[in-house]
Amino acid sequence: MVRTIDEVYERLQKGMKSDKTGLYFEFRGKILASYLPKEMLEKIGIEPTEDFKPLELNEETIINEMKEYFPFAVDKAICERGISASRSVEHYEEWIWLLGDDKFLEEIRETEYAWYGKPILLKIAKKYGFDYSELE
């Protein structure tokens, strides 16, 4: 079941508060923030652009975001782009968390991060029906 706005807000707020590196928003927080109303973002010190419109927090929108991002993630893995490839996996962890699929989230977190995340991306592709031909 897809997370609620309050759950997303709480996760983003907690991540922002515990961030020691200043990279939480860049690596994970942007995914969460894109689903929150402007007022909630402003409460935790994030200033969205004037034309910001939150994405609808539903399964279809989240999976569409995941699918659109997938070729980029695959490219980062294939081209062995270390940090970018690991960030791609982190993005997927947040989307899967948003979907409320805790069992699958745990499964991919337990999957060895090898070959720039290819085994993880392959599992994600098979689960959500994305084209994974470039990963094989």
Side-chain angles (χ1 to χ4, degrees):
M1 178 168 357
V2 174
R3 305 290 178 174
T4 67
I5 290 286
D6 290 335
E7 288 173 308
V8 176
Y9 175 76
E10 183 180 317
R11 184 174 177 91
L12 179 59
Q13 184 180 37
K14 184 187 280 185
M16 296 295 284
K17 281 183 179 178
S18 67
D19 184 13
K20 304 284 188 240
T21 64
L23 295 173
Y24 177 81
F25 185 75
E26 282 298 314
F27 283 28
R28 293 177 177 268
K30 280 185 178 179
I31 299 295
L32 300 172
S34 65
Y35 292 91
L36 292 175
K38 200 173 194 175
E39 311 77 54
M40 289 181 127
L41 294 175
E42 290 169 345
K43 279 174 140 177
I44 53 176
I46 297 171
E47 286 296 323
T49 61
E50 278 188 40
D51 61 339
F52 173 77
K53 289 184 181 172
L55 297 171
E56 289 187 42
L57 186 56
N58 61 47
E59 186 175 310
E60 181 181 358
T61 302
I62 296 165
I63 292 175
N64 282 339
E65 289 289 301
M66 293 168 69
K67 186 175 185 176
E68 284 179 22
Y69 188 81
F70 197 72
F72 178 82
V74 168
D75 181 63
K76 296 303 174 189
I78 290 171
C79 294
E80 300 179 354
R81 303 288 306 187
I83 293 171
S84 294
S86 68
R87 284 179 69 177
S88 293
V89 170
E90 289 183 16
H91 284 22
Y92 278 101
E93 287 179 355
E94 290 306 310
W95 280 314
I96 294 165
W97 179 86
L98 283 167
L99 289 169
D101 195 348
D102 295 336
K103 184 177 179 186
F104 185 60
L105 180 58
E106 189 61 32
E107 181 182 329
I108 65 166
R109 284 182 173 163
E110 290 175 355
T111 301
E112 181 184 1
Y113 182 84
W115 300 100
Y116 299 90
K118 288 179 189 176
I120 295 168
L121 293 175
L122 188 58
K123 283 184 178 190
I124 291 167
K126 288 179 178 180
K127 167 101 176 166
Y128 296 104
F130 305 156
D131 177 18
Y132 57 86
S133 56
E134 290 188 64
L135 290 171
E136 296 186 306

